[in-house]
């Protein structure tokens, strides 16, 4: 059996879908379904169990698993409850790391590009303690992920026992089907698609930095299928461990995303630019771009989908469909 924490969430439900499509029905999901329709992310899936997080420790006792894919977290970058975020994102991760170590179980977990903060130190996935100590995450979510990266790196540096395979994945701006429950944390494409479809003007932020045009703030946008492909490769390549960026390595603008969506629908672009709220101007990232050399040196050669192709797949296959779910 495989365990996917956060398996009803965005990336997690896409991992579960890929596992089912690969012929595995022995998948247990640990998640909170709640009342916001998140169950629809799993409505097409075959599962062995759904485990509430509060029962996970008891559920794990005496169990043998092929791997733990740990994607469950409070992922809102605006989260403010420090105790809850640390308990959920850090301490639960530590308990799972310890369980996987004690039970010799491969452990793949989600880190985040948020750990890089404002990008002043670059976006190189250097796993050394000295490099990690130089990073300054800008929000509570990023800090909680960074704490866990540091804890794992410390064990590596001390030569302490770890799971037979472990991999931390610093996901950049992942987008794709099944992200609809995320509200304000959805990708800009998912948030703005109904406006695009209805012909209403799509609002993007003006630039408040000299030399950068309105709408030309850039991110490393990666389609969810590409992120899942990396995890499936890791499951099939148990001799690879480490901390890896998961992005395309190519920063693209928010304007590029919107223009690609209009092109997918065959409609004329209608974009207007609005002032960025003052409260976020000081902490707003104008540029993120992953360095994927370490992942490729480790043997990954799955490639990454071009933005225009990814947006076309998402729009025509899901967002502009009666059934938006994978």
């Amino acid at each position: 059996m495989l365990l996917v924490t956060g398996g009803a969430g965005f990336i997690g439900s896409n991992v579960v879908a890929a596992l089912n499509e690969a012929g595995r029905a022995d998948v247990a999901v640990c998640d909170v379904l709640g009342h916001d329709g998140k169950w629809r992310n799993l409505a097409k899936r075959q599962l062995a169990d759904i485990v509430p997080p509060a029962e996970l420790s008891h559920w794990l006792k005496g169990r043998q698993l092929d791997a733990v894919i740990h994607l469950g977290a409070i992922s809102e970058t605006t989260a403010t409850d420090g105790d809850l975020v640390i308990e959920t994102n850090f301490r639960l991760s530590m308990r799972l790391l310890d369980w996987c170590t004690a039970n010799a179980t491969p452990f793949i977990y989600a880190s985040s590009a948020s750990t890089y903060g404002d990008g002043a130190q670059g976006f190189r996935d250097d796993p050394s303690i000295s490099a990690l100590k130089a990073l300054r995450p800008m929000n509570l979510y990023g800090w909680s992920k960074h704490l866990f990266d540091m804890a794992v790196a410390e064990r590596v540096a001390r030569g302490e026992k770890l799971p037979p395979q472990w991999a931390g994945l610093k996901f950049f701006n992942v987008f794709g089907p099944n992200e609809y429950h995320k509200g304000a944390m959805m990708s800009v494409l998912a948030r703005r698609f109904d406006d695009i479809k209805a012909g209403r003007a799509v609002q993007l932020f003006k630039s408040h930095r000299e030399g950068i045009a309105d709408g030309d703030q850039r991110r490393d946008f990666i389609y969810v299928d590409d992120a899942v492909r990396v995890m499936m490769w890791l499951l099939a390549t148990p001799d690879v461990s480490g901390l890896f960026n998961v992005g395309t390595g190519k920063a693209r603008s928010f304007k590029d995303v919107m223009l690609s969506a209009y092109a997918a629908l065959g409609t004329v672009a209608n974009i207007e630019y609005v002032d960025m709220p003052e409260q976020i101007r000081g902490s707003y990232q104008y540029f993120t771009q992953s360095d994927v050399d370490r992942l490729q040196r480790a043997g990954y050669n799955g490639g990454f989908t071009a933005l225009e192709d990814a947006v076309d797949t998402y729009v025509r296959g899901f967002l502009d469909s009666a059934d938006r779910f994978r």
Side-chain angles (χ1 to χ4, degrees):
M1 187 183 291
L2 285 154
L3 172 66
V4 182
T5 74
F10 167 36
I11 299 176
S13 64
N14 279 276
V15 169
V16 173
L19 290 168
N20 275 184
E21 289 162 7
R24 298 208 63 157
D26 56 341
V27 180
V29 163
C30 176
D31 212 331
V32 176
L33 296 181
H35 302 279
D36 58 1
K38 197 162 68 168
W39 68 272
R40 295 186 184 278
N41 287 346
L42 294 172
K44 301 173 185 177
R45 307 278 67 89
Q46 187 174 358
L47 301 172
D49 205 350
I50 299 179
V51 186
E55 298 177 17
L56 182 58
S57 293
H58 177 74
W59 185 87
L60 284 169
K61 287 181 180 176
R63 209 172 276 274
Q64 289 186 326
L65 298 173
D66 290 340
V68 172
I69 304 173
H70 179 40
L71 305 174
I74 294 173
S75 59
E76 290 82 359
T77 57
T78 55
T80 58
D81 187 336
D83 298 308
L84 181 61
V85 168
I86 290 302
E87 175 60 33
T88 305
N89 293 5
F90 176 66
R91 297 192 70 224
L92 173 59
S93 299
M94 292 297 293
R95 290 194 291 273
L96 280 173
L97 175 65
D98 289 340
W99 187 91
C100 287
T101 300
N103 291 275
T105 303
F107 180 62
I108 298 168
Y109 75 91
S111 181
S112 170
S114 292
T115 58
Y116 290 116
D118 65 3
Q121 304 297 321
F123 300 97
R124 184 166 166 262
D125 46 2
D126 185 337
S128 67
I129 294 290
S130 59
L132 291 172
K133 281 183 175 179
L135 300 181
R136 294 292 180 268
M138 299 171 72
N139 53 57
L140 178 59
Y141 164 71
W143 177 59
S144 68
K145 291 293 188 179
H146 181 59
L147 271 183
F148 186 64
D149 288 343
M150 290 278 287
V152 175
E154 189 67 35
R155 293 190 182 189
V156 173
R158 292 177 180 272
E160 296 179 12
K161 191 176 179 183
L162 285 163
Q165 179 189 30
W166 66 270
L169 304 179
K170 293 198 175 197
F171 293 115
F172 277 68
N173 286 66
V174 186
F175 69 101
N178 294 9
E179 61 174 318
Y180 320 117
H181 64 283
K182 293 171 66 69
M185 294 295 111
M186 281 192 295
S187 69
V188 65
L189 175 53
R191 291 201 313 272
R192 301 289 184 250
F193 180 76
D194 289 340
D195 289 332
I196 295 171
K197 181 70 174 176
R200 295 186 292 267
V202 170
Q203 294 185 338
L204 295 178
F205 285 145
K206 291 180 180 178
S207 171
H208 296 272
R209 186 172 293 180
E210 190 174 345
I212 297 177
D214 294 341
D216 199 39
Q217 302 94 333
R218 294 174 179 255
R219 296 283 187 278
D220 191 332
F221 296 103
I222 176 171
Y223 194 53
V224 68
D225 286 2
D226 293 343
V228 170
R229 198 175 297 117
V230 171
M231 286 181 274
M232 296 295 284
W233 172 75
L234 283 164
L235 287 174
T237 317
D239 58 330
V240 172
S241 293
L243 185 64
F244 302 105
N245 283 335
V246 179
T248 66
K250 296 179 180 178
R252 299 294 299 275
S253 71
F254 286 99
K255 184 178 179 180
D256 288 339
V257 174
M258 294 298 102
L259 291 177
S260 297
Y262 282 110
L265 289 174
T267 56
V268 177
N270 182 11
I271 302 173
E272 65 180 30
Y273 300 98
V274 298
D275 285 328
M276 188 183 298
E278 289 192 15
Q279 61 267 32
I280 68 171
R281 289 184 196 177
S283 60
Y284 187 81
Q285 285 182 306
Y286 274 74
F287 181 86
T288 66
Q289 179 172 282
S290 65
D291 180 334
V292 293
D293 285 353
R294 289 193 75 250
L295 184 63
Q296 292 170 339
R297 287 200 307 271
Y300 184 73
N301 59 6
F304 302 101
T305 309
L307 178 69
E308 290 79 6
D309 294 335
V311 170
D312 185 77
T313 297
Y314 189 17
V315 168
R316 288 151 56 94
F318 297 95
L319 291 175
D320 195 31
S321 169
D323 181 2
R324 292 183 170 185
F325 292 88
R326 179 176 180 182

